Amino acid sequence: MQFIAWIFKVFFSLLGLVFVLGMLCILLFSLLFGALWSLVRGRKPEVAVVWQRYQDMARSKAPFGAWGKGARHEAEVVDVEAREVPNVARPQDRLNKE
């Protein structure tokens, strides 16, 4: 009975190993296909674009500039030009006069 249990352990271990290696091969193939497809279209690979967006988002949310010198959003002070508004009769005033 222990021999049959040992055979099952070896069989399922090999089956799991084949599954993991198969998934790695599929992942590698899809990564290479995506890189080649982006080169054909003349664009950056999608993995690089997503990684760059993630880093930009992490930099903008990092406390105290922990990611280094990111883009600083300094407030710019703009003077406001004041103009005089002419005295115009409002529609309510016209209704009350009639």
Side-chain angles (χ1 to χ4, degrees):
M1 196 66 167
Q2 288 181 353
F3 181 69
I4 294 174
W6 182 79
I7 289 175
F8 274 118
K9 284 181 187 178
V10 170
F11 173 73
F12 284 118
S13 296
L14 290 175
L15 191 65
L17 184 64
V18 167
F19 177 74
V20 168
L21 290 176
M23 292 302 287
L24 284 175
C25 287
I26 290 172
L27 177 67
L28 183 64
F29 174 75
S30 62
L31 187 66
L32 290 175
F33 178 76
L36 289 174
W37 182 249
S38 63
L39 285 174
V40 167
R41 293 184 309 166
R43 296 183 179 180
K44 277 178 105 173
E46 202 60 35
V47 175
V49 172
V50 171
W51 181 252
Q52 185 176 5
R53 285 183 187 168
Y54 171 74
Q55 285 183 331
D56 291 343
M57 182 184 66
R59 277 191 199 106
S60 68
K61 301 218 183 251
F64 308 114
W67 281 72
K69 307 268 183 189
R72 304 247 181 222
H73 301 290
E74 295 180 10
E76 184 177 324
V77 178
V78 179
D79 289 333
V80 178
E81 181 181 331
R83 289 183 279 169
E84 189 175 329
V85 179
N87 193 4
V88 179
R90 294 183 298 219
Q92 296 170 355
D93 293 342
R94 283 188 236 151
L95 291 176
N96 291 338
K97 288 182 183 178
E98 292 176 0

